[in-house]
Amino acid sequence: MAAPPFAPTRGRGASSELDFESLKRLIHGKLVEKLDLSRLGDLQGDTLRREIRLVVEHLCDTENPLLNRSERERLVEEVLDETFGYGPLEILLKEQGVADIMINGPKNVFIEKNGRIQKSEVTFRDNAHLMQILDRIVSRVGRRIDETSPMVDARLADGSRVNAIIPPLALDGPSLTIRRFGSKPLGLEDLLKFGAFTPEIALLLEGAIKARLNIIISGGTGSGKTTLLNTLSGFIQNDHRIITIEDAAELQLQQPHVLRLETRPANIEGKGRVTATDLVKNALRMRPDRIVIGECRGAESLDMLQAMNTGHEGSMTTIHANTPRDAVSRLETMISMGGIELPIRALRQQFAAAVDLIIQVQRLQGGPRRLTYITEVQNMEQDQIVMQDIFLFKQDGIDEGGRAFGHFEATGIRPSFMPRLEAAGVKLPSNLFTQRALGK
């Protein structure tokens, strides 16, 4: 009698893991042979998974009855993940506290957890296995990735952002970066609990949204721009018609009247591409109360500014920049790179007339994310845009765990848009802008 392909042992070594993988592939192959695709079409969700679980458990008992309970359960779950989910990725997607998943080839998987990057024990069999999972991810959102299109942006069902790049551009095998958002977006209470800002700042932000100020959220990669945009959108009135425009849909607005638009890359023939600029222009014909662009990256920036200036107050977007002043310069650069020739003065006049507030967010050392500037855009003086800081975050030092800490301050400047807030029925405490350290 031949030895079973996987014999349970204490302290399994590398060879035992290989045997386990061989058994898993064997059972997965037999499962595919046994599946009645015509019958599966009648089953949905949990019912389908339960039916398949019974088949997998029977195959486990048939192929290797010597598996102990924990090994059998692990084998069943991994076969089900390979069949319905994203294989080894499922373990990381279910793990609490994982903010980012970074895959550098099949054997090098890293995660960011609690603000720190660490290597995971999760691996894929080989490049082909990783490509199989990647194809499953991108195909579910109507995208593709192959040698003719070796880079892709996609998303998971819970809204998490996926970027992938494959050989020949990636030299060490397929590379994936997954930015986790979770099925339940962080709310105002969560950000206050994490210390992203203070209740006083939250009052101003809520008032700014309700009074339909135009807002730009500025920050670096991973600083929390999209999370903050999602949170602030919760203050938008339920009777407003909101149109969101994104490259890969991540926003999870809770209002009942939301229309979500997503850009589309070119097909294999190089045709059919739909850009953010195309969607912004189309959105203006759809009677929106507010337009929310997930991120301004190019020529759509000018269309966004024009929308803000032509009756779509309360619109919002994000932009990659390190300071509020940098955000202005970056917008100027992106519009120029889009082939639109406008005098700098005219462009700055558009910006000063359109944008009311810039919110700067930053990921500090050790992982904490903070709102570092709340800055009002006032007007133009000669060729310069005049801006003033209303609230600031000042870093005081680094704690024993390597995490930055500090405090928020009110600068003592009362914003010039206060009459707009009062006209919208927003009442703020009289001492909200008094110069002082907040939260003390």
Side-chain angles (χ1 to χ4, degrees):
M1 178 179 177
F6 174 78
T9 59
R10 295 185 181 274
R12 291 198 305 264
S15 60
S16 296
E17 279 295 335
L18 289 174
D19 291 339
F20 184 88
E21 286 295 326
S22 299
L23 177 58
K24 186 169 72 174
R25 287 198 297 272
L26 174 65
I27 291 178
H28 186 259
K30 289 184 175 292
L31 173 64
V32 172
E33 293 174 4
K34 284 179 171 290
L35 290 180
D36 183 349
L37 296 180
S38 61
R39 181 171 174 270
L40 289 180
D42 299 329
L43 301 177
Q44 296 295 329
D46 294 339
T47 303
L48 177 60
R49 194 175 177 100
R50 282 197 301 270
E51 291 279 333
I52 300 301
R53 172 179 277 274
L54 293 175
V55 177
V56 176
E57 289 174 345
H58 175 71
L59 287 171
C60 286
D61 295 337
T62 302
E63 297 299 327
N64 192 338
L66 299 180
L67 289 172
N68 64 38
R69 179 178 297 178
S70 63
E71 290 164 338
R72 182 175 181 269
E73 182 61 25
R74 175 191 167 196
L75 184 61
V76 170
E77 285 297 324
E78 290 190 13
V79 171
L80 289 173
D81 286 343
E82 288 287 347
T83 306
F84 295 105
Y86 301 125
L89 267 182
E90 290 290 338
I91 299 172
L92 299 178
L93 294 174
K94 293 172 185 175
E95 187 173 345
Q96 293 294 320
V98 174
D100 292 290
I101 302 170
M102 295 153 279
I103 303 172
N104 311 332
K107 302 301 181 184
N108 293 301
V109 179
F110 296 84
I111 61 173
E112 181 188 322
K113 191 171 184 180
N114 300 323
R116 297 186 180 277
I117 294 178
Q118 52 193 272
K119 188 167 184 178
S120 170
E121 295 182 358
V122 170
T123 60
F124 296 80
R125 287 194 304 272
D126 48 32
N127 283 341
H129 185 205
L130 182 51
M131 277 300 302
Q132 178 186 355
I133 300 302
L134 177 53
D135 282 333
R136 190 174 299 174
I137 291 172
V138 300
S139 63
R140 289 181 180 179
V141 292
R143 303 287 172 100
R144 64 186 180 85
I145 186 165
D146 50 40
E147 286 192 3
T148 61
S149 180
M151 298 182 290
V152 70
D153 285 315
R155 67 181 185 278
L156 301 181
D158 65 2
S160 297
R161 179 194 307 167
V162 179
N163 174 270
I165 183 168
I166 64 171
L169 301 186
L171 302 182
D172 299 318
S175 174
L176 276 75
T177 306
I178 301 176
R179 175 72 48 80
R180 298 289 311 284
F181 289 108
S183 55
K184 183 177 181 293
L186 293 177
L188 178 65
E189 294 300 323
D190 297 310
L191 296 187
L192 288 171
K193 177 183 175 183
F194 296 146
F197 46 84
T198 67
E200 294 93 335
I201 293 175
L203 285 175
L204 176 63
L205 296 180
E206 180 179 1
I209 299 295
K210 290 183 175 178
R212 301 189 66 171
L213 269 61
N214 293 321
I215 296 174
I216 288 180
I217 299 173
S218 167
T221 300
S223 58
K225 298 186 299 298
T226 303
T227 298
L228 179 61
L229 181 60
N230 220 31
T231 301
L232 295 184
S233 70
F235 295 131
I236 297 176
Q237 295 89 328
N238 284 334
D239 61 343
H240 282 197
R241 175 173 169 83
I242 309 164
I243 297 181
T244 67
I245 297 171
E246 302 173 84
D247 283 329
E250 303 164 23
L251 296 173
Q252 298 168 296
L253 275 62
Q254 304 303 311
Q255 287 79 2
H257 201 165
V258 177
L259 181 60
R260 305 166 71 209
L261 306 180
E262 187 177 61
T263 61
R264 185 179 70 184
N267 61 21
I268 196 168
E269 297 175 349
K271 299 178 181 179
R273 184 183 180 212
V274 179
T275 66
T277 302
D278 299 327
L279 294 179
V280 172
K281 290 178 179 177
N282 191 79
L284 295 176
R285 306 185 185 105
M286 301 172 71
R287 200 259 176 231
D289 289 304
R290 302 179 189 240
I291 297 175
V292 179
I293 299 183
E295 183 180 339
C296 277
R297 296 180 179 175
E300 73 274 5
S301 306
L302 180 59
D303 295 287
M304 183 66 183
L305 293 180
Q306 291 176 332
M308 290 176 170
N309 272 326
T310 55
H312 302 94
E313 293 88 357
S315 296
M316 296 186 288
T317 187
T318 71
I319 186 171
H320 278 273
N322 294 324
T323 67
R325 182 65 65 180
D326 285 346
V328 179
S329 300
R330 183 156 161 72
L331 269 171
E332 293 173 0
T333 302
M334 288 191 299
I335 292 172
S336 299
M337 290 175 64
I340 301 170
E341 296 184 5
L342 270 179
I344 289 295
R345 180 176 175 80
L347 185 54
R348 289 177 180 173
Q349 284 175 331
Q350 285 266 347
F351 185 93
V355 179
D356 299 301
L357 206 60
I358 299 177
I359 303 171
Q360 183 72 36
V361 291
Q362 185 176 343
R363 184 181 185 274
L364 305 178
Q365 182 173 328
R369 294 163 172 86
R370 299 289 183 266
L371 270 66
T372 52
Y373 293 91
I374 309 292
T375 301
E376 179 190 10
V377 179
Q378 289 189 298
N379 49 41
M380 283 277 293
E381 284 188 5
Q382 295 182 350
D383 290 336
Q384 295 300 316
I385 297 174
V386 178
M387 300 191 293
Q388 60 181 11
D389 299 328
I390 303 170
F391 294 112
L392 300 173
F393 175 82
K394 291 192 175 180
Q395 183 173 323
D396 295 328
I398 306 293
D399 64 19
E400 294 178 353
R403 291 170 64 89
F405 65 91
H407 67 278
F408 293 92
E409 287 185 0
T411 62
I413 296 175
R414 181 181 173 86
S416 60
F417 54 68
M418 283 304 296
R420 291 179 58 184
L421 270 63
E422 293 164 0
V426 176
K427 296 182 179 180
L428 299 177
S430 58
N431 66 339
L432 182 64
F433 305 107
T434 302
Q435 186 173 6
R436 70 194 192 283
L438 303 178
K440 293 186 178 181

